[in-house]
């Protein structure tokens, strides 16, 4: 190999390396997105197989924040 061939080989290798560095993040992102999509699809399929949850027979008591908000909403300001 002469000097011109070695320089061409180094140039092609550098160009290929830069190309790989530019494309690698996109490929990693695509692979990650496909994995997430597959997990979402599997979760939806699993959710369809599970029967609907029955409500509890026990009565629920509203929290203090709910009670306070309801009291505030019911008071109307009347301007004369």
């Amino acid at each position: 190999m002469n000097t011109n061939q070695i320089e061409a080989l180094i140039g092609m290798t550098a160009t290929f390396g830069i190309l790989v560095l530019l494309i690698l993040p996109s490929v990693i992102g695509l692979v990650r997105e496909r994995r997430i999509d597959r997990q979402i699809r599997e979760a939806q399929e699993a959710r369809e197989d599970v029967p609907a949850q029955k409500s509890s027979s026990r009565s629920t008591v509203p929290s203090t924040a709910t009670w306070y908000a309801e009291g505030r909403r019911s008071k109307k300001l009347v301007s004369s």
Side-chain angles (χ1 to χ4, degrees):
M1 284 179 105
N2 61 19
T3 307
N4 288 339
Q5 290 175 333
I6 292 174
E7 287 179 4
L9 182 62
I10 291 172
M12 285 191 325
T13 305
T15 303
F16 182 71
I18 291 171
L19 181 66
V20 167
L21 286 176
L22 290 173
I23 293 177
L24 190 63
S26 297
V27 171
I28 291 172
L30 286 173
V31 169
R32 184 172 177 259
E33 289 292 323
R34 290 191 60 153
R35 180 178 49 90
I36 291 170
D37 289 343
R38 182 174 34 91
Q39 289 175 345
I40 290 172
R41 200 174 329 108
E42 289 173 357
Q44 287 175 340
E45 289 172 0
R47 189 175 208 175
E48 290 172 357
D49 295 341
V50 175
Q53 188 178 19
K54 294 181 180 177
S55 64
S56 170
S57 60
R58 185 176 61 144
S59 66
T60 58
V61 178
S63 68
T64 304
T66 305
W67 173 80
Y68 180 75
E70 288 295 325
R72 300 276 302 207
R73 264 189 239 124
S74 64
K75 293 179 183 175
K76 304 270 185 190
L77 296 175
V78 179
S79 53
S80 307

